[in-house]
Amino acid sequence: MTFVESISTCFSKYADFNGRAQRPEFWWWVLFVFLVNVITGMISPLISTLFSLATLLPCIAVTARRLHDINRSGWWQLIGLIPLIGLLVMIYWCVQEGKEPNQY
């Protein structure tokens, strides 16, 4: 999956928490959100905040689909709320290959 394909997929599945997202889709989306936030942050903090709010739901949705790809519930992303350890666990899970067979 290319950069443009993954961005269009994430926007077309704006609030779709069903299905699976492979690693390239997830990581291209993360790169896109990071780069746009950095650029908009240099222009105006208000624009950066508005972009972050606009992409919050797709970020949660693509993360849930990524967790489905490794056979975990999307609710596991709440572990990311634990300072430092939760973030490290989420990164570890998101870099893993998809698992087959899979309940999702």
Side-chain angles (χ1 to χ4, degrees):
M1 180 169 278
T2 66
F3 181 76
V4 175
E5 289 174 339
S6 64
I7 303 311
S8 67
T9 300
C10 288
F11 276 123
S12 67
K13 295 181 176 182
Y14 194 87
D16 184 9
F17 296 88
N18 298 318
R20 297 162 65 173
Q22 295 179 350
R23 283 186 298 180
E25 178 184 347
F26 176 79
W27 288 111
W28 282 125
W29 173 258
V30 170
L31 178 65
F32 167 73
V33 170
F34 175 76
L35 291 176
V36 173
N37 268 323
V38 168
I39 292 167
T40 57
M42 286 189 251
I43 297 169
S44 166
L46 177 62
I47 295 172
S48 180
T49 302
L50 291 174
F51 177 77
S52 294
L53 286 174
T55 57
L56 179 64
L57 192 57
C59 286
I60 295 170
V62 74
T63 304
R65 291 193 312 270
R66 178 70 200 122
L67 289 172
H68 289 171
D69 194 42
I70 61 166
N71 207 24
R72 294 194 182 274
S73 169
W75 287 101
W76 274 105
Q77 63 187 305
L78 292 174
I79 202 168
L81 296 174
I82 299 171
L84 189 61
I85 293 171
L87 178 65
L88 294 174
V89 168
M90 283 300 299
I91 291 172
Y92 174 73
W93 283 343
C94 289
V95 299
Q96 290 182 342
E97 289 188 34
K99 296 194 171 139
E100 295 291 340
N102 194 316
Q103 69 180 5
Y104 299 98

